[in-house]
Amino acid sequence: MNRATKGLAALLAAIAAACCSLAASAGGSGAAPGAGTRAGQHSVYAITGGTVYTLGKAGKIEHGTVLIRDGKIAAVGADVQVPDDAERIDASGKIVTPGIFDPESQFGVVEVGSVGETRDASIDSERFSAAFDVAAAINPRSVLIPVNRIAGVTRAMVAPRSTGNGHIINGRGAIIDLGSTRGFVHRDAAAMFASLGESGASRAGGSRAAALTMLREALQDARDYADNTGAYNANRRRDYALSRLDLQALAPVLAGKEPLVVEVNRASDIEAALRLAADFKLRLIVSGGAEAWMAADQLAAANVPVLLDPLQDLPGSFESLGSTLHNAARLQKAGVLIAFATGDTHNARNVTQAAGNAVANGLPWLDALKAMMLNPARIYGMDDRLGTLAQGKLADVVVWSGDPLQLSTSAEQVFIAGRKIPMVSRQTLLRDRYLQARNDGKPLPSAYIHP
């Protein structure tokens, strides 16, 4: 480690220590609010008087009540009877929605992008590809988590990230909740991630055709391995391009039990991915999709959803020359299921601003809410438990001060699986400390305590 890197590491450690002491002096909440919360320890809450957007069959409920008990939604409606043991949260004049579900993030596996030691989302080796599972590396105490959850982000797919040196198959992702450090992995091996287009070509010898061939070979080998495992173990089968662990990891993808999320942007690359998915009967999900609007009819016909950044409108590369702010609206109008993924884990909370821009460019307001909250759950097959405010669903609930898509709006209270989240992060603690007016001449409180 060189002097500059050591200096940066020391600075980060000092900041972390100072912030932890600030958290302690603030009463024990702070670096990771809710960290000590045990799964299953829930109280009864009644969110009353707000405009409730259930995003489900109940639709919009004026002056509604959301009753939370034992981590789940016990009742939703305009005439819900509130039990005596419930803690009331007055949401009069406010908006109540499900929590935001980030469909492609690096929560807990990336802390500081410029410090390699804090990055666990990718590998530079081809020794493992499909078998690489980020779940084991997720840090639920990451300071990025409270920063985003107090802004309404309650669930996330933690996905492996592509690099320039690894295989085109990036590995497996896991779905987590952002409300606890225990039992936070909601579903491991929730999706397989791969890269085609320019990114895949760069790792396959320089051609898109080579990347497609590499992915096709991997899937063919995985199918052959599944059909001839005994012969392979007895050394009576040909060699495969991938390791045994990689081949085993691809089995659920081939069986249709696990979706394949493919990073691809150019319209022709999307069409190539659709053909490959049809050949192997895969549950395909397109990630990126800068030019997806050009292939909207094909995507809709194949029932393939798209994870996109609604703010993507610049031709940052040759594969995204067709980028447009109308992408989301055009896909939705064509019948494509869309979900918003900004790709910015540090500020995943800004997805509300991105969604507002999608509305300004033709996407209906309610569909923008669904693209942040319901559609990610539908895409990953979890809408039976998440994404709407309905009886029996997990209680991921946000109380907003106003329209969630307005910049002036903030999340006033967040619930994750029925846990009432302290609306505190290191950022809020530092803000409160340094914004204090000291006209009375008193010094600022200590940032740390000498041993």
Side-chain angles (χ1 to χ4, degrees):
M1 183 181 293
N2 61 37
R3 182 179 298 176
T5 304
K6 288 182 178 179
L8 178 58
L11 176 61
L12 291 171
I15 292 173
C19 291
C20 286
S21 296
L22 273 169
S25 65
S29 61
T37 305
R38 291 179 180 272
Q41 288 186 345
H42 305 287
S43 298
V44 182
Y45 302 97
I47 304 170
T48 62
T51 300
V52 181
Y53 287 90
T54 67
L55 304 190
K57 294 181 180 179
K60 175 184 175 183
I61 304 172
E62 296 284 3
H63 309 292
T65 295
V66 179
L67 183 64
I68 299 172
R69 184 189 296 274
D70 296 330
K72 296 184 178 181
I73 297 173
V76 182
D79 56 356
V80 174
Q81 185 173 358
V82 178
D84 294 337
D85 61 341
E87 178 183 335
R88 288 176 177 261
I89 291 91
D90 185 8
S92 299
K94 300 168 185 176
I95 289 178
V96 182
T97 71
I100 295 171
F101 189 145
D102 188 335
E104 190 171 358
S105 76
Q106 277 76 51
F107 282 120
V109 290
V110 172
E111 197 73 29
V112 181
S114 60
V115 179
E117 292 83 357
T118 71
R119 300 195 307 265
D120 290 298
S122 61
I123 52 176
D124 293 332
S125 169
E126 290 190 23
R127 179 178 179 184
F128 298 113
S129 56
F132 176 59
D133 191 336
V134 298
I138 297 173
N139 174 21
R141 297 171 181 82
S142 166
V143 297
L144 305 185
I145 289 177
V147 168
N148 285 280
R149 71 181 172 199
I150 65 172
V153 183
T154 59
R155 300 272 160 175
M157 165 66 82
V158 181
R161 175 169 287 177
S162 62
T163 65
N165 301 319
H167 196 276
I168 63 165
I169 299 177
N170 304 324
R172 282 171 151 173
I175 294 173
I176 66 170
D177 78 53
L178 275 64
S180 178
T181 59
R182 304 180 186 181
F184 59 90
V185 176
H186 193 83
R187 179 183 292 177
D188 192 7
M192 186 70 67
F193 290 79
S195 298
L196 293 175
E198 289 184 6
S199 177
S202 68
R203 283 178 275 163
S207 171
R208 287 171 163 79
L212 280 163
T213 302
M214 184 179 290
L215 181 54
R216 186 177 293 275
E217 178 186 41
L219 293 170
Q220 288 175 345
D221 281 0
R223 177 180 289 170
D224 188 83
Y225 172 81
D227 293 339
N228 301 280
T229 304
Y232 177 84
N233 291 336
N235 201 26
R236 291 186 288 105
R237 201 66 185 169
R238 63 179 175 83
D239 291 336
Y240 296 120
L242 299 181
S243 71
R244 173 180 54 84
L245 293 178
D246 292 327
L247 298 171
Q248 290 173 351
L250 285 171
V253 177
L254 288 167
K257 298 178 181 178
E258 188 176 319
L260 176 66
V261 184
V262 175
E263 176 192 356
V264 64
N265 284 291
R266 198 170 75 177
S268 62
D269 294 334
I270 294 171
E271 291 163 347
L274 288 172
R275 290 191 294 270
L276 183 142
D279 289 344
F280 288 91
K281 296 180 173 58
L282 306 177
R283 287 174 54 197
L284 182 67
I285 299 170
V286 167
S287 172
E291 294 186 351
W293 62 274
M294 297 182 183
D297 291 340
Q298 297 98 306
L299 287 163
N303 197 29
V304 171
V306 178
L307 314 180
L308 62 94
D309 180 358
L311 287 180
Q312 170 63 40
D313 71 330
L314 296 176
S317 64
F318 280 100
E319 66 178 357
S320 59
L321 294 177
S323 297
T324 172
L325 290 173
H326 298 281
N327 194 14
R330 291 174 180 175
L331 288 169
Q332 188 272 340
K333 186 176 181 179
V336 179
L337 185 62
I338 60 171
F340 293 154
T342 65
D344 183 2
T345 299
H346 286 73
N347 290 291
R349 55 190 174 176
N350 290 341
V351 68
T352 53
Q353 177 187 0
N357 277 267
V359 173
N361 287 276
L363 184 69
W365 185 87
L366 193 61
D367 288 311
L369 283 191
K370 291 179 180 179
M372 296 189 298
M373 302 165 184
L374 170 59
N375 292 356
R378 292 176 62 190
I379 288 170
Y380 291 122
M382 299 184 66
D383 51 315
D384 60 332
R385 305 189 68 190
L386 297 165
T388 59
L389 300 181
Q391 185 177 14
K393 295 287 186 74
L394 286 172
D396 284 14
V397 188
V398 182
V399 180
W400 302 92
S401 62
D403 182 345
L405 307 189
Q406 290 287 348
L407 280 175
S408 58
T409 296
S410 61
E412 295 195 346
Q413 186 57 64
V414 176
F415 291 86
I416 301 179
R419 306 178 189 94
K420 185 180 180 184
I421 299 300
M423 302 300 285
V424 179
S425 71
R426 286 183 173 175
Q427 289 185 355
T428 64
L429 290 168
L430 289 168
R431 175 203 65 193
D432 294 344
R433 179 177 192 268
Y434 289 107
L435 281 180
Q436 292 183 64
R438 284 303 178 184
N439 295 328
D440 55 7
K442 294 181 180 179
L444 287 170
S446 297
Y448 63 92
I449 299 173
H450 286 288

